[in-house]
Amino acid sequence: MNLALVLLTTAVVLVTALLAAAGAGKLARLDGATYPASLTHAALAFTAVLSLAAAVTAAFTGLLK
């Protein structure tokens, strides 16, 4: 694969994870959670998006071989 495509895909996944984390943190804060609790929600959302991206990548890698 092309290096530029890999870097672009990585950047898109990281931006998506950051947006999901920011949204989860903001929604938790609007729901009345404390700042540490909202940061925990944001961290969990960030980790979930990265884990999902890794699982999808592993599944596609198995199909393409």
Side-chain angles (χ1 to χ4, degrees), residues 1-64:
M1 252 201 307
N2 193 2
L3 179 63
L5 181 63
V6 172
L7 291 175
L8 181 64
T9 305
T10 303
V12 168
V13 168
L14 285 176
V15 167
T16 305
L18 286 172
L19 286 173
K26 180 64 176 175
L27 287 175
R29 190 70 184 129
L30 286 175
D31 197 32
T34 62
Y35 282 110
S38 64
L39 284 175
T40 302
H41 285 284
L44 287 173
F46 183 79
T47 305
V49 171
L50 290 183
S51 297
L52 181 63
V56 169
T57 302
F60 282 155
T61 302
L63 291 175
L64 294 176

